[in-house]
Amino acid sequence: MFTYLNPAVREKLIKTRKLCRIDKSGKLVDFDAPSAPGDLVLNLLGPIPLPLRMQGKSYQAQWYATVRSTELNKVEELAENLRQSEGQNLFASLATPMAVNSVLIIGDPVHSDNPLVRVHSNCLTGDVFGSERCECGPQLAAAVDRIASDPAGGMIVYMAGHEGRGIGLWAKAATYLLQDTGEDTYQANESLGLPADSREFTDAAALILHFIGNRPMRLLTNNPKKIKDLTEAGLDKISIEKHVTGVSQWNKRYLSAKREWGHNIGDADLSQ
């Protein structure tokens, strides 16, 4: 992560416009401008050319990494203390699960009408391992393919820290064991004393406002909570495009639980 670099590199990134800050409305913020406690300020690093290959197809994207200033400041303060005390061997302690979100720009959604947008919660088991206990991996791949095939282009906002709907990978592993005893995915979270869904999409809204603005866009989702959160954050020109894919014998029970919690999933979807 760039937080570990010499401060001179940070200044170079700012001067070359590869590093900027935005507020919750998506507007640029000066690095020297003070922010009030509780204000949302995001650091945005990019664009970085990123050739992609998913399910045998190739795509071209521009990648941006993004992290909240509140989290970044803590890491940079620790890094500076380690530099001053010559504690270089302790820099590994900075490899914490800081929520570094990503943006993938595909095509030219900034200058097109009604682009496609996918806000995707990270899922190691589905996105990386290809697990069929959920539909996350196929949803991500299908979103990239749909956006790349659409003349309007679009963007993927990949949300770190959303594993297991916000409970983290360790707790998610425990919920899988509970699901194997008969609980559904939401009941398993609650059995651990955790929220059924603790995700929030404020950062995603700010990033969409920064890149596209509050103008007509098509959101690839089946999740009413995501729609509600983004709308309340200032994106009130969203139209919804259903995004059901990756249905298998292994995840139909999981998808049925989602439907009971309000997701737009029909009988015909589950019969795929």
Side-chain angles (χ1 to χ4, degrees), residues 229-245:
D229 286 0
L230 293 177
T231 300
E232 290 179 349
L235 295 166
D236 57 7
K237 295 179 175 61
I238 295 173
S239 60
I240 308 304
E241 294 218 358
K242 198 171 181 178
H243 196 55
V244 179
T245 186

Side-chain angles (χ1 to χ4, degrees), residues 186 222-225 227 255-265:
Y186 295 97
N222 312 310
N223 185 352
K225 180 184 187 311
I227 299 165
L255 293 172
S256 294
K258 276 190 166 185
R259 180 172 64 175
E260 291 174 7
W261 275 72
H263 284 234
N264 185 17
I265 301 172

